[in-house]
Amino acid sequence: MLILAARSSLGQTSDATYGVHDDRRVDRLHSDAWGPDDGLPSDQVFDILQTQDGYLWIGTGAGLSRFDGVKFENFDQGNTPELTSKRVTLLYESSDGTLWVGSEQGGLIAFQTGRQRTAKAVRELAGKSIRSIRQDFRGALWVGTDSGTWRSQAGEFEEVAAAPKQVWSLAEDKDHVLWMGGPDGLFRWDDTKSGAVKMEAFSLAGTNPAVNVLVADRDGSLWAGTEKAGLIHFKDEILSRILPNSSIQSVYQDRLGVIWYAGKSGKLKRLNEQETVSANPPWFGIGVSCIADDREGGLWLGANGSPHCLRQLKPASAVSFDHVAACVMAAPDGGVWLGSNAGLAHVAARSGPETLTVDRYYRLTRALAFAAGRNESLWVGQRTKGISHFVDHGLSTDTARDGLRNEPVGAILEDRAGSVWVGYVDGGAARLDGDRFVELGAFRDLTVHWFAELSNGDVYAGTNNGLYRGTERVGDPLLDELPSTEFRSHYLDDVGDLWLGTLGDGLCRMREGAFTNWRVSDGLLANRIFAITDDPAGNLWLGSLDKVFYVPKRSLDELATGKVDQLDCRLMPLSIEGQRLGQGYPKMTRSNDGSVWVTRKRDTVKIPPGAIDISQESAPVHIEDVRVDGVALAGHDRVEFQSGIHRLEIHYTVATYAQPHAAKFRYRMPDHVEDWIEAGDQRVAHFTELPPGSYTFQVQVVIGDGVWNDEVATIAIVVRPRWFETTWFKILLATGLCSTLIISVLVYTSRVRHHNAQLQKEITERKEAEAILQKHQTRLKALASELTVAEERERRRIAADLHDDVGQTLALARIQLASARKSMSSLELGAKLDTLSSTILKATQDTRHLVYDLSSPSLNELGLDEAIEEWLEEEIGNRFGLKTQIVRKSQADAYRDAISDDVRALIFRSVRELLVNVVKHANATSVVVTTEYTGDQIVIAVEDDGVGFDAGAEAFRVSSEGGFGLFSIQERMMNLGGSMEIESEPGMGSCARLFVPCVHSDSFKTEPEGQ
């Protein structure tokens, strides 16, 4: 697996990464390639280097190029005049981040760190061909050229006279000894002598071979690629020679300590544990000119004259194929066994990472469980036919005849003694005793998920109710405290640790009888663990209901010992190269080549070593360019420009090479746009019409795992105001405006004062007119009240005259006619007298009605209640046929002395008008009059069940078509100091209430004007 430790730059040694599985055979690596058609300036690549900021720099035959995984940015004589030579042959990064660029007959150029690297040519080395560069442990920079060796201290380069004239390669070993190689052989710099010492022990047959390239191994030895003497391994003496008659042009030790090399033919070779592994990749027709690696595990190769002169090799990706399986187990031959509904399949081991082939298939009744048997045999638990045993491709089956139930078998184990343990899915277990299986009573009501045998011969069983050793339940304080006692999965690793997956309480480990537990609260990604395995790199792989993830065992130990407070878990994305992992309960195994196999309900996935995210550090995001209206701005951490710019573009990127197109970005400018703007894979931010001010642009990146990088790239942006946007101009403008405003205010104030005087005069005159009008209105209201009272008095007088005079006369006339009729013998004359009597009777009745219309005689004789009741019955009930009722809430005429006769007449008249309105407009069938005396006021309510109306809109409306009735009643009540309220809705009837204060018995006096 390619888990590479970070180091300062490529081409330099770093501490070894121990416990890392390396399976990078060239034919097992994926390949991506680029050339001039993709943006490289040339088809010749001489050197490759990844700098501390993550960028990949390529020295070519037509200048320098920088690569971020997506696009190339090229530097040549046109945009970088310091590059006086097209052929960039050597790249090196010093500890301060400076990029040193050596060229053929173009000298040495230093590119300083920062967003915009500034190029500066080294004057002392102008025109020279640079062959090697190395910074020693003191910080001095050594440069080997075709005409001398130079050293820089305190920024000044001086030629080292005591060094060889031609140094083609430089290396510093772990003891800080500087080595020099060139056409004259191998040299060691001796600080005590301040000179180079030729290594005679490096000679072959009395001559020192020319050294093309040197690499200092981590163990203190040297690897020297020589001219026609092969690859020499040297430490005080020649330890070994590889390809002794070949010329070796490129040697490189990667971060895992593996030596890669290539000769003049360009054939890439790999040296691993002193054994040469050779490969002839079909994608390199011309050969390898340089070798490098990156921090994400990619191996980079350069070539000369190839249309794909830059090539990246990276570990195989996970591959998925549509084979549904319920169980999976590694086969001894390097393949895997898959069990499914249809039977048993064997997937062959293949060297190619993208080919998964089923080479053997056996039809069974749904395989549910696997177990490795003795002599590389295989046990299979089935759904209905017991268990099957494969030995040398032969098959035997144990069924109910052998003591097994005809039930699904979900767990199986053959122990070292040859005994076979079987667990049933629906509960219970059995063990082979002689020739028959015997039920185990301890598991009668339990579901056994798995069996495992430890190195000491103890057999453990995980059930839905605890962990068992043999047939005894394991008692442990930690296990007893777990809320869930279902042990669903297990894995026994190479050191004897038994890993246990629970169904709700995370992961447990049993080591030498002691238990440890990790949960989600500790950083675990799930508490329900359905599958467990590990890989050669020391990672523990776990499968839950909806995810697959891994955690280094080292991280588990560090948390258990208190060195860290959270686990370093990594999620394996569910979508790998467009393939879906599927949903369901996963099963896992590890095959002999270190691949992790995951089978789920929908597919099976092979995850080869190195397919996981190997970068231990998140790649930082870089702000590359700031442009305003298409023009690039200078500045590292801060840029300035004048306002009025229509379009601002900020270009950013992330230098990543494992999954460059998986990078997603978001950005914001808190002083302008507070919320993050999701940019997806776009690598440019656009802003328009940015107002003057100071801003901070921020951008973040996320790659693959969905977690945003904590590191935020920022750049300060200052928008300078134009002259009319400056502070002094605004002050002058404000001063002028204030002056103009003051003058305008003074003029306006003068005019306002004049207008105020005129207005005050008009107001005074209007108030006087309003006072006179108010006086007249008051007088008019008084006259109206006097007129109303006078009208009522006149009505009573006329009614009294009609009742006393006309009524009595008509009654007397009718009596006399009746007397005359009795003495009359003539029938004809008698009939005429009867007719005349009827006429007089009608006149009497009409006179009575007229008297009631003018003024009720009962009002003053019997009181207000009796008058209302009499009029209600006679005029409303008998005359118009309405159902009537009067409700007295006080004693009869309790308020007789509380009001004057005039007020009583006005109240009666108002009640009568309300009743007439009911008859005319309400279309009612009944009417109820309620009277109440509260001591200080009289309340009379008239309620009907008629059609109702909108009281708010029409209650007191007066129009040309009428409507004076309610208005006149309201005015009459107000003159009495009272009020009228109306409650009504269309279709709900109506209720009118009169409120009259009892203060009028003595005080309500009206006198005709002028008396």
Side-chain angles (χ1 to χ4, degrees):
M1 181 177 301
L2 298 179
I3 299 181
L4 304 182
R7 63 178 179 178
S8 58
S9 65
L10 279 135
Q12 303 176 63
T13 61
S14 65
D15 293 337
T17 303
Y18 297 103
V20 176
H21 179 73
D22 179 34
D23 189 40
R24 292 178 303 164
R25 282 177 43 182
V26 173
D27 56 353
R28 292 184 178 180
L29 298 177
H30 285 279
S31 170
D32 292 322
W34 299 265
D37 292 341
D38 303 301
L40 268 175
S42 169
D43 63 357
Q44 292 180 311
V45 173
F46 299 115
D47 202 5
I48 305 170
L49 173 72
Q50 185 182 29
T51 49
Q52 296 175 30
D53 55 14
Y55 283 113
L56 200 71
W57 296 84
I58 304 103
T60 76
L64 180 66
S65 186
R66 187 179 71 183
F67 188 45
D68 64 359
V70 175
K71 70 179 187 302
F72 294 92
E73 182 177 0
N74 298 321
F75 303 84
D76 53 27
Q77 295 176 357
N79 55 26
T80 309
E82 292 80 3
L83 287 172
T84 58
S85 173
K86 292 181 178 180
R87 294 172 65 86
V88 176
T89 57
L90 191 62
L91 302 173
Y92 186 84
E93 184 182 27
S94 54
S95 58
D96 62 356
T98 300
L99 174 64
W100 299 90
V101 179
S103 61
E104 188 175 286
Q105 297 181 354
L108 184 64
I109 300 172
F111 282 80
Q112 303 299 321
T113 59
R115 183 178 66 85
Q116 294 179 329
R117 287 182 177 262
T118 303
K120 181 180 179 181
V122 177
R123 176 179 49 82
E124 297 87 347
L125 300 177
K128 296 184 180 298
S129 294
I130 308 301
R131 299 297 299 268
S132 58
I133 307 173
R134 171 64 57 179
Q135 186 179 32
D136 66 20
F137 74 100
R138 296 186 182 92
L141 194 70
W142 296 74
V143 180
T145 73
D146 57 353
S147 59
T149 303
W150 297 72
R151 180 173 57 188
S152 170
Q153 290 180 328
E156 297 293 333
F157 279 87
E158 297 179 352
E159 187 173 4
V160 183
K165 281 298 181 181
Q166 293 189 56
V167 175
W168 294 345
S169 182
L170 291 164
E172 186 179 54
D173 63 24
K174 69 174 186 177
D175 297 323
H176 304 306
V177 175
L178 185 66
W179 296 86
M180 302 175 180
D184 298 326
L186 180 65
F187 294 81
R188 178 176 60 84
W189 182 259
D190 191 338
D191 285 329
T192 60
K193 298 179 180 181
S194 298
V197 177
K198 190 172 185 178
M199 302 304 298
E200 298 299 336
F202 192 74
S203 64
L204 295 171
T207 61
N208 283 327
V211 177
N212 295 322
V213 59
L214 280 175
V215 169
D217 202 321
R218 295 168 184 174
D219 61 5
S221 62
L222 289 177
W223 294 91
T226 68
E227 189 71 20
K228 297 183 179 180
L231 180 62
I232 297 178
H233 192 197
F234 180 83
K235 187 175 184 181
D236 298 329
E237 62 180 355
I238 295 178
L239 302 178
S240 63
R241 291 175 63 194
I242 299 171
L243 302 178
N245 298 318
S246 299
S247 293
I248 305 300
Q249 301 295 323
S250 300
V251 181
Y252 186 81
Q253 186 176 39
D254 65 21
R255 299 170 189 271
L256 297 179
V258 176
I259 298 295
W260 301 83
Y261 63 97
K264 283 188 176 181
S265 64
K267 186 176 182 181
L268 180 66
K269 298 179 183 295
R270 171 176 177 240
L271 187 66
N272 188 24
E273 297 179 354
Q274 304 301 321
E275 293 182 6
T276 302
V277 179
S278 177
N280 188 15
W283 30 258
F284 254 91
I286 296 180
V288 177
S289 60
C290 57
I291 310 169
D293 65 348
D294 61 38
R295 288 190 287 272
E296 297 171 81
L299 190 70
W300 293 84
L301 307 176
N304 292 331
S306 170
H308 295 104
C309 52
L310 177 67
R311 189 167 296 273
Q312 179 196 22
L313 305 181
K314 53 187 177 181
S317 300
V319 58
S320 170
F321 68 112
D322 294 331
H323 189 97
V324 180
C327 52
V328 59
M329 192 184 77
D333 60 1
V336 294
W337 291 101
L338 297 175
S340 64
N341 291 343
L344 178 65
H346 179 269
V347 179
R350 289 289 186 267
S351 60
E354 297 178 352
T355 304
L356 297 177
T357 304
V358 175
D359 60 356
R360 279 178 281 164
Y361 180 78
Y362 303 93
R363 184 172 298 279
L364 299 174
T365 306
R366 190 175 182 183
L368 298 180
F370 287 143
R374 293 181 296 177
N375 301 320
E376 297 187 353
S377 63
L378 176 68
W379 291 90
V380 183
Q382 302 179 72
R383 172 166 287 279
T384 58
K385 293 184 179 181
I387 61 176
S388 294
H389 190 202
F390 286 84
V391 181
D392 296 330
H393 304 295
L395 174 64
S396 64
T397 302
D398 293 308
T399 62
R401 292 176 300 179
D402 305 295
L404 290 175
R405 301 187 211 162
N406 191 21
E407 295 181 7
V409 175
I412 188 170
L413 169 73
E414 182 181 10
D415 61 24
R416 293 185 183 88
S419 184
V420 180
W421 302 65
V422 173
Y424 300 106
V425 172
D426 298 329
R431 182 173 58 192
L432 185 63
D433 187 3
D435 296 330
R436 292 188 60 80
F437 284 89
V438 178
E439 293 285 331
L440 299 176
F443 303 108
R444 179 175 293 108
D445 298 322
L446 301 177
T447 297
V448 179
H449 296 302
W450 51 265
F451 293 104
E453 184 181 18
L454 273 57
S455 59
N456 61 4
D458 288 342
V459 175
Y460 281 79
T463 75
N464 62 337
N465 187 24
L467 180 68
Y468 281 74
R469 180 172 56 245
T471 58
E472 299 293 330
R473 197 174 194 273
V474 177
D476 184 85
L478 185 143
L479 300 184
D480 295 340
E481 293 179 359
L482 296 180
S484 173
T485 57
E486 184 164 1
F487 292 87
R488 185 61 182 262
S489 57
H490 81 291
Y491 181 71
L492 183 62
D493 65 17
D494 296 337
V495 299
D497 288 342
L498 180 61
W499 300 89
L500 308 171
T502 71
L503 209 59
D505 289 307
L507 176 70
C508 294
R509 180 188 65 194
M510 187 183 77
R511 174 180 290 176
E512 297 178 355
F515 290 89
T516 309
N517 176 238
W518 298 269
R519 307 186 189 185
V520 168
S521 57
D522 300 314
L524 206 66
L525 298 187
N527 275 335
R528 295 162 62 88
I529 308 300
F530 292 94
I532 310 173
T533 190
D534 64 1
D535 62 25
N539 295 310
L540 195 70
W541 288 75
L542 305 171
S544 68
L545 187 64
D546 58 354
K547 61 176 67 72
V548 173
F549 59 98
Y550 60 95
V551 55
K553 294 180 183 178
R554 180 190 66 256
S555 178
L556 294 164
D557 288 333
E558 290 174 347
L559 182 66
T561 57
K563 293 182 179 180
V564 297
D565 57 6
Q566 283 287 301
L567 294 174
D568 182 21
C569 288
R570 300 295 181 94
L571 179 68
M572 188 68 185
L574 294 182
S575 179
I576 305 175
E577 292 191 353
Q579 299 294 330
R580 153 178 99 241
L581 277 173
Q583 298 294 325
Y585 298 169
K587 301 293 183 182
M588 289 182 178
T589 192
R590 186 187 79 182
S591 56
N592 292 352
D593 65 352
S595 298
V596 174
W597 293 73
V598 182
T599 178
R600 300 164 73 94
K601 284 187 175 180
R602 297 179 182 172
D603 62 358
T604 298
V605 178
K606 178 186 178 183
I607 307 172
I612 62 175
D613 182 11
I614 55 177
S615 177
Q616 299 300 308
E617 296 181 3
S618 300
V621 63
H622 299 288
I623 297 174
E624 291 189 315
D625 202 11
V626 180
R627 296 178 176 269
V628 290
D629 288 344
V631 179
L633 297 181
H636 293 286
D637 301 324
R638 172 189 172 100
V639 295
E640 294 187 13
F641 58 90
Q642 195 173 56
S643 65
I645 297 299
H646 298 295
R647 186 178 70 258
L648 171 65
E649 296 178 0
I650 303 175
H651 296 260
Y652 49 82
T653 189
V654 60
T656 182
Y657 308 100
Q659 300 176 357
H661 295 286
K664 306 298 180 184
F665 301 88
R666 66 179 183 181
Y667 63 84
R668 67 177 178 177
M669 195 178 286
D671 303 309
H672 181 62
V673 179
E674 184 65 30
D675 295 332
W676 288 100
I677 298 173
E678 302 294 337
D681 58 359
Q682 296 297 315
R683 303 190 179 209
V684 59
H686 298 275
F687 298 93
T688 57
E689 303 293 343
L690 204 62
S694 297
Y695 305 92
T696 300
F697 176 79
Q698 301 175 342
V699 60
Q700 267 184 313
V701 66
V702 59
I703 304 175
D705 59 3
V707 179
W708 291 97
N709 192 340
D710 292 335
E711 183 176 347
V712 179
T714 64
I715 188 169
I717 298 175
V718 178
V719 183
R720 298 189 304 271
R722 290 168 284 186
W723 65 270
F724 55 85
E725 296 172 324
T726 59
T727 303
W728 64 265
F729 177 80
K730 292 179 180 179
I731 292 174
L732 289 178
L733 181 62
T735 302
L737 290 175
C738 289
S739 301
T740 303
L741 181 61
I742 291 172
I743 295 173
S744 300
V745 168
L746 292 175
V747 174
Y748 178 75
T749 302
S750 176
R751 292 178 180 178
V752 168
R753 287 175 180 171
H754 176 72
H755 288 300
N756 283 345
Q758 292 294 110
L759 184 60
Q760 189 66 34
K761 181 179 179 181
E762 293 178 2
I763 291 173
T764 301
E765 293 175 352
R766 179 169 293 181
K767 286 184 176 180
E768 292 175 353
E770 288 178 352
I772 295 172
L773 180 61
Q774 184 67 29
K775 183 178 180 181
H776 289 168
Q777 288 179 345
T778 303
R779 185 60 183 162
L780 284 175
K781 287 184 178 181
L783 289 175
S785 298
E786 292 171 0
L787 180 61
T788 301
V789 172
E791 179 185 355
E792 288 301 323
R793 288 174 178 171
E794 186 63 20
R795 283 173 173 270
R796 288 201 302 272
R797 186 188 65 77
I798 294 173
D801 289 345
L802 286 175
H803 181 271
D804 295 340
D805 296 340
V806 179
Q808 295 297 329
T809 301
L810 290 174
L812 181 60
R814 191 164 178 272
I815 293 171
Q816 291 176 350
L817 281 176
S819 177
R821 175 68 177 84
K822 291 180 180 180
S823 60
M824 185 67 63
S825 58
S826 173
L827 295 176
E828 181 179 358
L829 184 58
K832 291 181 179 181
L833 290 178
D834 290 340
T835 301
L836 180 59
S837 177
S838 297
T839 301
I840 292 174
L841 177 61
K842 185 176 184 309
T844 301
Q845 292 174 344
D846 291 342
T847 300
R848 179 177 176 83
H849 286 302
L850 182 59
V851 168
Y852 273 100
D853 288 341
L854 290 172
S855 179
S856 172
S858 303
L859 184 62
N860 293 324
E861 296 174 2
L862 302 177
L864 181 61
D865 289 351
E866 287 72 8
I868 293 174
E869 182 178 11
E870 181 182 17
W871 200 85
L872 184 65
E873 181 180 355
E874 292 292 334
E875 295 299 322
I876 301 302
N878 296 338
R879 188 174 180 182
F880 296 104
L882 270 70
K883 182 179 179 181
T884 63
Q885 181 183 2
I886 184 168
V887 178
R888 296 183 179 92
K889 293 187 178 182
S890 304
Q891 294 182 358
D893 214 5
Y895 44 83
R896 182 178 184 87
D897 297 330
I899 55 176
S900 63
D901 292 341
D902 294 333
V903 173
R904 188 180 296 110
L906 292 175
I907 295 173
F908 178 77
R909 181 175 177 182
S910 299
V911 172
R912 188 178 63 185
E913 291 180 3
L914 289 174
L915 292 171
V916 171
N917 278 344
V918 171
V919 172
K920 289 182 178 181
H921 306 295
N923 193 22
T925 59
S926 65
V927 61
V928 178
V929 178
T930 303
T931 63
E932 181 180 5
Y933 174 55
T934 63
D936 58 350
Q937 69 175 355
I938 299 171
V939 181
I940 300 178
V942 177
E943 186 174 2
D944 66 71
D945 61 353
V947 295
F949 62 96
D950 187 352
E954 302 180 4
F956 306 108
R957 181 174 60 85
V958 177
S959 68
S960 58
E961 300 176 356
F964 287 96
L966 295 178
F967 176 76
S968 62
I969 296 172
Q970 173 75 357
E971 288 295 314
R972 194 178 299 142
M973 293 298 102
M974 292 176 63
N975 290 336
L976 295 176
S979 63
M980 180 175 70
E981 295 180 356
I982 296 179
E983 297 179 0
S984 181
E985 293 182 11
M988 302 297 292
S990 60
C991 178
R993 291 184 178 85
L994 304 178
F995 300 89
V996 182
C998 299
V999 295
H1000 303 287
S1001 58
D1002 298 322
S1003 60
F1004 192 81
K1005 304 293 185 181
T1006 56
E1007 297 291 341
E1009 186 176 2
Q1011 289 186 0

